[in-house]
Amino acid sequence: MSELFDRVDALVASRSPLPPPAERKRLRTAHGLTLDEVAQALEVRRATVSGWESLTKATEPRGKEREAYARMLTQLAELYPADASASTPVQDTAVPAALANAPAPAPEARPLSTDPAPEPAAATAEQNTPSRPATTPGAASLPAPAARPTSRRPGARKSAPAETPAGVDPRFTNGPLAVVDVDEDSQVSAYCTGGLVLDVPAKSLSSLVDWTLKEAKLGQPKLSGPGKDADPLIVLTEAALERYGLPVALTEEERLAGRLPEGHKVIKQLVRAEWKLTKRGFGPWARIYRPATGSERACVQLCIPSWQALDTRHWDQAGQLAPAELARVLGVYASRVMTPRGSTAVTGLELMTALHPPTRASEPDADGKRHSEHNPGSLGKDAIDPMHWPPCEVPDGHPALKDLPRFHVRGPSEKLFEEAYDWARPMTDEECTLRHLVGIDVNMAFAAGANGLNVGLGEATHVKAPVFDPKLPGSWLVDLSHVDLSRVKVGKDTWAELDGSLLPSPFTPKGERPEGPAWYATPTVAYAVELGYQVRPLEAWVRHENGRYLDGWYNRLRDAYLATMADLGVDTDLTPADFLTAMNGYKARDPELAIVVSAVKATVKGGLGKLRERPRGEGWKPGEPWRALSRPTWNPHIRATVISRTRINLHRKIVKHAAFTGQYPIAILSDCVVYAAHGPSPLDFLPYREGKPLPGGFKLGVNPGLVKWEGTQDVLWGEEVRERFNAPELNLARYIKDGTVTDVDNGE
């Protein structure tokens, strides 16, 4: 009879109306439950539970999830009735029977690791929440609710514990950031990492900044000993912008200026409260601060997605996510990379500085005082004079070139031009008989190029007729036109005979053979020696002060990438076939984490690009300095060296592959290489023997420097596209992913 009653209860629950989304959220937070805890108990995704509580686009549970969810809400409604929401139980009680009977996750299931570690709120609850009475043996129960910070609405949150768990900085117990939103009841909430939600009492933007610094406990500890803690990040939704008197979107004029006008009422309000803005003003990534007093900083970073702060090229549709989901995406990124400081490019550059601060505190002097001094191994302000860069390394318009004629165009013997590949060639008759064009892409190629790379950290020394030293970073003027790719070294004493006409030159981005002396970074010249040819530089700019400046930067970004890919089901120990299977549709497994992967990869490329930032308007004229030149991390030498090594790493694999298989690339674009093959898979042309790849060649895998499948098209597609646009050397690597052809330039 009890089974019959249970079936009747389930039938009623499957049809019974649920409370509105706002009430669902109130009941959950009143009991101190996080989205993760509810999702785990109901065997659904965290985003699903958040969708059930969404005030704008609420979804409804179905089937067994609806039954269990309805039971949970019914029990919580008995504990926290709407008319008595101000009261809370004196102490924690046992999990109600209905909750104890909620579906539990399957034992073999491994939930994705999605939230930043450590989890302050969850850890606090685990260590400080009083133990609960045991539930019925064998019954699954929800985890103990996480403790909450003090709320402005009595009963809505629980008071935070007095103690902080070991390993968590007590100043930043609520994580690095919060997304501030306003609900239909005009209640302002701050959505933090780990599902934590804080009530925000601030009525104005200036008071929001005060609250963030004094009560929110947001921020992130420094990444390096002499570094600085990360300032708290506040993300403002459209509703929050309206609440605090800011426009939901910038006007065209404001967008072009990148900021609000100085006379805006909110800016005047901040000035009255003695807050300051940085030189870039109140834009999509605004910084509001007061001058530091001693070691104490008072600074809050704002991110405004509706002002295009989160570039869709790198953050996809993150700006359209609900507050809790956006907090999750940015929180994972912050925990694994760092708290965003602006665009992914800006953050990539800031990560270098955070890991290698330009200064540190000196040893105490005779009076016991410490002073600021250069931090060894960093790009300090005094290490490189921004006005005295080698002329060959700087971009056009730099002050070092102010004496050049106005319309002078520098050639290879005057300008270092280390860039990524953009090369293609016509297909041979034999390749046209094959059926497929298969593209492979190098994972985190530029990050891999930075790994273990020795770069200059100080001023360059000019040398005439130097002896080339592959261990000495710098720029070398040398003639490499004699290097013949038809006969190259592929081992210590092993030479290979190749068809050099089917290979790109490793010395130019377009793959053209150099015609005379040109400037190259150290890795490019070293590769000429590796191929078995002598080099005799005419002159050089070398750095005797050098080091592996980017190692820590690479390691952190690599770990962030691999950890997030592992959460998406792509591990480092997969076989080639299993790796290709795991990569198929990996983004759909958790679209939010897929956004993090995209942002991490953009951080690599953008950070390296920022090393040679060009003028950005502001009335600049050629020959005059621009703002970025005063930055210690403005370093075109490091950028050129990383790109040089990345291109050389790719060419080395191409040569090894050609020597072993007789196959040559059809096209190369940056880190994507296209081959003609008889089958549609990379396994149809990559030489694996008993699961082992060609030593020194291409290897399938998720690690930086290994390759993944980029896309496959028919050979007929490639020939038809080239014929249609009358471009026999159209770079098919640009379109191999989905076959859509746009912006054709006839290969010129």
Side-chain angles (χ1 to χ4, degrees):
M1 183 65 71
S2 61
E3 293 181 0
L4 179 61
F5 288 166
D6 289 340
R7 290 199 297 271
V8 171
D9 289 343
L11 182 63
V12 173
S14 67
R15 297 292 189 274
S16 61
L18 297 175
E23 177 66 6
R24 303 172 195 175
K25 178 180 177 181
R26 184 191 71 79
L27 292 172
R28 175 180 61 79
T29 56
H31 199 61
L33 297 174
T34 67
L35 292 170
D36 283 325
E37 291 167 345
V38 176
Q40 184 180 16
L42 301 183
E43 292 188 293
V44 296
R45 292 177 58 242
R46 169 188 174 143
T48 301
V49 180
S50 178
W52 296 343
E53 297 180 358
S54 173
L55 300 178
T56 56
K57 299 179 181 179
T59 57
E60 292 296 311
R62 297 180 180 180
K64 65 177 183 179
E65 288 84 5
R66 184 185 179 92
E67 176 188 347
Y69 191 47
R71 288 190 181 189
M72 183 189 78
L73 295 176
T74 300
Q75 294 294 326
L76 292 177
E78 293 177 2
L79 289 174
Y80 309 99
D83 58 351
S85 60
S87 62
T88 55
V90 175
Q91 60 183 8
D92 289 334
T93 58
V95 177
L99 292 182
N101 292 326
E108 68 275 13
R110 181 177 65 87
L112 297 181
S113 173
T114 59
D115 291 323
E119 284 293 340
T124 301
E126 182 180 345
Q127 297 191 20
N128 296 284
T129 301
S131 59
R132 294 172 178 265
T135 57
T136 305
S141 62
L142 285 170
R148 299 294 187 193
T150 303
S151 170
R152 295 296 178 179
R153 291 181 295 166
R157 313 287 196 276
K158 296 184 179 182
S159 299
E163 299 180 359
T164 300
V168 177
D169 193 314
R171 299 169 299 162
F172 311 130
T173 54
N174 294 331
L177 56 89
V179 179
V180 175
D181 190 33
V182 183
D183 61 22
E184 294 176 347
D185 298 326
S186 298
Q187 171 60 42
V188 185
S189 301
Y191 294 79
C192 307
T193 57
L196 178 68
V197 183
L198 305 176
D199 288 331
V200 180
K203 304 298 183 183
S204 66
L205 187 63
S206 60
S207 59
L208 175 64
V209 176
D210 272 318
W211 173 83
T212 301
L213 292 171
K214 295 177 181 178
E215 299 182 41
K217 292 189 175 182
L218 296 173
Q220 191 175 37
K222 58 189 177 182
L223 298 179
S224 174
K228 298 176 181 178
D229 297 324
D231 298 318
L233 174 64
I234 295 294
V235 185
L236 298 177
T237 65
E238 293 184 7
L241 292 173
E242 293 178 342
R243 174 62 175 265
Y244 293 121
L246 292 165
V248 171
L250 297 177
T251 66
E252 183 65 16
E253 183 179 354
E254 291 167 348
R255 187 186 64 80
L256 293 175
R259 67 187 74 189
L260 290 178
E262 296 295 329
H264 193 278
K265 62 180 181 179
V266 173
I267 296 180
K268 292 181 178 179
Q269 175 195 97
L270 292 171
V271 172
R272 286 195 299 271
E274 299 183 344
W275 290 107
K276 297 180 179 293
L277 294 166
T278 57
K279 290 182 180 180
R280 63 184 174 185
F282 203 120
W285 290 94
R287 297 186 68 79
I288 303 174
Y289 72 99
R290 287 188 179 124
T293 56
S295 61
E296 294 297 323
R297 290 168 55 85
C299 183
V300 173
Q301 173 94 53
L302 297 184
C303 169
I304 306 177
S306 66
W307 293 7
Q308 311 306 315
L310 301 175
D311 191 327
T312 55
R313 294 172 299 175
H314 310 141
W315 292 100
D316 197 34
Q317 299 302 314
Q320 305 299 319
L321 293 174
E325 281 67 53
L326 180 55
R328 179 199 180 206
V329 169
L330 294 177
V332 172
Y333 179 89
S335 69
R336 294 177 176 176
V337 180
M338 69 180 297
T339 303
R341 293 288 303 273
S343 66
T344 50
V346 169
T347 304
L349 199 66
E350 291 291 339
L351 180 60
M352 296 180 196
T353 302
L355 295 169
H356 289 285
T359 60
R360 67 177 183 181
S362 67
E363 293 296 325
D365 59 17
D367 298 326
K369 295 183 179 181
R370 296 179 183 269
H371 306 277
S372 178
E373 66 177 14
H374 172 64
N375 183 28
S378 72
L379 298 175
K381 291 183 178 180
D382 300 328
I384 303 173
D385 187 332
M387 300 299 116
H388 292 166
W389 277 90
C392 63
E393 293 182 347
V394 298
D396 294 338
H398 189 277
L401 306 175
K402 62 182 179 180
D403 295 330
L404 285 179
R406 183 176 179 183
F407 298 106
H408 178 73
V409 177
R410 293 185 294 162
S413 62
E414 299 172 283
K415 179 181 180 180
L416 176 69
F417 192 66
E418 295 284 9
E419 299 294 341
Y421 267 129
D422 185 355
W423 170 86
R425 63 169 176 82
M427 284 185 274
T428 65
D429 292 342
E430 182 180 353
E431 289 165 342
C432 289
T433 64
L434 301 175
R435 296 186 58 187
H436 301 283
L437 296 176
V438 184
I440 53 177
D441 182 80
V442 181
N443 298 315
M444 300 272 283
F446 293 98
N451 182 27
L453 183 62
N454 199 35
V455 297
L457 302 177
E459 293 276 7
T461 302
H462 188 231
V463 185
K464 288 285 189 178
V467 175
F468 176 68
D469 183 353
K471 297 181 180 179
L472 194 58
S475 300
W476 309 78
L477 180 62
V478 58
D479 187 352
L480 299 180
S481 61
H482 63 289
V483 177
D484 185 2
L485 294 180
S486 63
R487 188 173 187 272
V488 297
K489 261 190 175 182
V490 292
K492 185 177 180 181
D493 297 310
T494 305
W495 289 77
E497 303 291 336
L498 305 175
D499 187 342
S501 66
L502 301 180
L503 287 171
S505 167
F507 309 127
T508 61
K510 290 292 185 179
E512 301 164 343
R513 188 167 181 168
E515 297 179 353
W519 286 99
Y520 303 101
T522 298
T524 303
V525 185
Y527 185 57
V529 177
E530 179 184 326
L531 291 176
Y533 293 87
Q534 291 186 344
V535 296
R536 295 185 178 87
L538 304 176
E539 59 179 297
W541 291 89
V542 296
R543 271 92 176 170
H544 296 287
E545 181 185 348
N546 52 67
R548 294 167 61 162
Y549 174 75
L550 295 173
D551 272 10
W553 183 81
Y554 161 78
N555 289 334
R556 188 161 181 87
L557 290 167
R558 174 205 61 196
D559 292 347
Y561 173 73
L562 292 179
T564 312
M565 289 300 290
D567 288 341
L568 288 166
V570 186
D571 296 304
T572 58
D573 56 354
L574 297 174
T575 64
D578 289 342
F579 169 70
L580 291 175
T581 300
M583 286 294 292
N584 185 23
Y586 76 94
K587 293 182 179 180
R589 294 175 198 141
D590 192 325
E592 293 168 15
L593 285 184
I595 293 174
V596 177
V597 171
S598 173
V600 170
K601 293 193 288 188
T603 302
V604 173
K605 290 187 177 180
L608 293 172
K610 274 281 184 180
L611 288 168
R612 197 191 65 168
E613 184 176 352
R614 303 295 301 275
R616 305 179 66 181
E618 301 177 340
W620 173 81
K621 295 181 181 180
E624 295 179 350
W626 58 91
R627 185 185 301 180
L629 294 185
S630 62
R631 195 172 57 213
T633 47
W634 193 86
N635 197 304
H637 151 72
I638 294 181
R639 174 188 176 276
T641 306
V642 172
I643 294 175
S644 164
R645 191 180 193 219
T646 303
R647 193 182 67 249
I648 293 308
N649 284 348
L650 183 59
H651 196 275
R652 183 182 293 111
K653 290 180 172 64
I654 290 171
V655 167
K656 294 275 188 179
H657 185 85
F660 188 79
T661 67
Q663 298 170 334
Y664 297 85
I666 301 296
I668 309 173
L669 183 67
S670 187
D671 46 13
C672 175
V673 188
V674 176
Y675 282 92
H678 62 83
S681 168
L683 290 175
D684 291 319
F685 71 93
L686 293 182
Y688 274 85
R689 288 184 176 177
E690 299 180 354
K692 296 182 179 180
L694 170 68
F698 295 109
K699 178 182 178 182
L700 289 165
V702 71
N703 282 295
L706 305 189
V707 299
K708 64 178 183 294
W709 176 64
E710 179 68 5
T712 298
Q713 303 296 331
D714 293 337
V715 167
L716 291 178
W717 164 85
E719 287 295 277
E720 189 273 332
V721 167
R722 286 178 165 178
E723 182 178 350
R724 188 197 330 160
F725 293 100
N726 192 27
E729 295 185 2
L730 179 69
N731 195 333
L732 299 175
R734 193 183 306 275
Y735 317 108
I736 194 70
K737 191 165 190 176
D738 59 11
T740 303
V741 181
T742 57
D743 300 327
V744 172
D745 59 3
N746 292 325
E748 297 179 1

